[in-house]
Amino acid sequence: MNEQEIYYTMALTRLTGVSHSMTLQLYREQGSGQAVYEQYQNRFHWDEALRRAAAEMEFCTKNNIRVLTLNDADFPRRLSECPDAPITLYYKGTADLNQQRVIDIVGTRQCTTYGQDIIRRFVSDLRKQCPDVLIVSGLAYGVDIHAHRHALQNGYETVGVLAHGLDQIYPHHHRDTAAVMVEQGGLLTEYMTQTQALPNNFRQRNRIVAGMSDATILVESAYKGGGLITCRIAQEYGRDVFAFPGAVGMPYSEGCNKMIRDNTAALITSVQDFVEAMGWGQRPPQSPAVEGELFTDLTVEEQRVMTLLQKTNDLQQNMLSVQTDIPIGQLTALLFQLEMKGAVRIMAGGMVHLLS
């Protein structure tokens, strides 16, 4: 991505009096930030936005921060598919944001000993069964910071999504953990520097947490809370949502128990429950004869799907559509045929799992 394009795209996000939904629509219609600038140069007031973008680019260069625009190959693909995706992200870290498996762990800031034990066991057990998972959370007190720290302790990469710019860490007590995460994961935000951690920013960042993940896991939550907001957004995006149950009457179990009762989250009590629901378990090896049979009598489009799944298994249908360049309607029919042939299995949340 060239610097000129990054510059105009950053400025696009700073236009005064223009909503995010409008700038996102213009960006997608025109195909780039520079194209929006050239088309609407005289319609919007760009001067201050361009100055702000130039200053931010200088800060990013000095501090080894990457600016990822929506068209960048390294922009989280899952997030880019969301209807309210950010146009730019500021990223400091080493993790691939498009790993094959990405989950987020969220919940209350008043995490109890019970919740801490759930996180410790879940992350440790998940590492044994699925060593290639990126763990995302919000670097907040409670469930978030415990998820990050246990991820680090178990050798996972973990990314914290911030509600402010990368010129600060909030809360300050988590600076040491954040420093380790930059080397074993990363810090991600849609906000430029000098942005304060205002309440609405936390709600906005929750969509990034949910949107860049395959599944959201709620550990503990009161009847109301930010974790429930993340779960709701994940549901709207068509992602899988899971919750650990808690004791009846305990205040920080009420949110989880309500979601399970209302069938808005799947109940899990162990990693095995989660892995089976996601179709992430180890597949038994197939004999060459069986594998060969699955690749006979395939159309060109079916073969394209199978070849991609051989390289990167467990992809969501919308990602398959993008990477194979097959329209989603046609892809749905193809997947049905492949499932009838015993070649693939359609898992929860639209995940496609190769059986051969």
Side-chain angles (χ1 to χ4, degrees), residues 295 297-308 324 326 330 334 338 341:
F295 281 82
D297 194 28
L298 295 180
T299 67
V300 174
E301 290 79 9
E302 288 173 341
Q303 183 67 60
R304 197 186 313 166
V305 171
M306 294 290 285
T307 299
L308 177 58
T324 59
I326 299 174
Q330 181 183 351
L334 289 176
L338 288 172
K341 294 176 182 180

Side-chain angles (χ1 to χ4, degrees), residues 105 111-128 133 135-137 139 142-159 177 180-181 184 219:
I105 300 175
C111 189
T112 68
T113 302
Y114 169 72
Q116 294 174 35
D117 188 55
I118 284 177
I119 297 168
R120 177 185 58 79
R121 288 186 291 107
F122 180 84
V123 175
S124 176
D125 292 346
L126 185 65
R127 177 67 173 172
K128 296 171 186 174
V133 178
I135 295 181
V136 178
S137 199
L139 201 69
V143 169
D144 287 17
I145 194 62
H146 286 291
H148 291 307
R149 287 172 177 166
H150 283 295
L152 294 171
Q153 291 170 14
N154 283 276
Y156 272 134
E157 292 181 313
T158 181
V159 169
T177 301
V180 179
M181 290 169 63
Q184 189 180 323
V219 175

Side-chain angles (χ1 to χ4, degrees), residues 297-299 301-303 305-306 317-318 320-321 324 326-344 346 352:
D297 194 28
L298 295 180
T299 67
E301 290 79 9
E302 288 173 341
Q303 183 67 60
V305 171
M306 294 290 285
Q317 292 186 35
N318 49 12
L320 265 177
S321 176
T324 59
I326 299 174
I328 190 67
Q330 181 183 351
L331 178 65
T332 301
L334 289 176
L335 292 175
F336 176 77
Q337 293 299 324
L338 288 172
E339 191 168 23
M340 293 301 99
K341 294 176 182 180
V344 302
I346 311 302
V352 182

Side-chain angles (χ1 to χ4, degrees), residues 159-174:
V159 169
V161 183
L162 310 181
H164 49 76
L166 287 172
D167 55 337
Q168 61 178 303
I169 294 296
Y170 177 84
H172 300 301
H173 292 92
H174 297 166

Side-chain angles (χ1 to χ4, degrees), residues 219-286:
V219 175
E220 281 189 307
S221 175
Y223 198 78
K224 295 182 180 180
L228 296 179
I229 295 174
T230 305
C231 291
R232 176 182 56 76
I233 295 171
Q235 290 173 317
E236 292 173 354
Y237 290 162
R239 309 298 161 80
D240 293 290
V241 178
F242 301 89
F244 281 93
V248 174
M250 295 300 292
Y252 296 111
S253 294
E254 289 182 352
C256 293
N257 291 346
K258 181 180 187 301
M259 291 198 70
I260 293 169
R261 183 180 70 244
D262 295 345
N263 293 318
T264 52
L267 182 152
I268 55 172
T269 59
S270 67
V271 158
Q272 194 61 37
D273 293 344
F274 174 74
V275 168
E276 289 179 0
M278 295 298 293
W280 288 0
Q282 295 293 325
R283 293 182 292 118
Q286 298 284 345

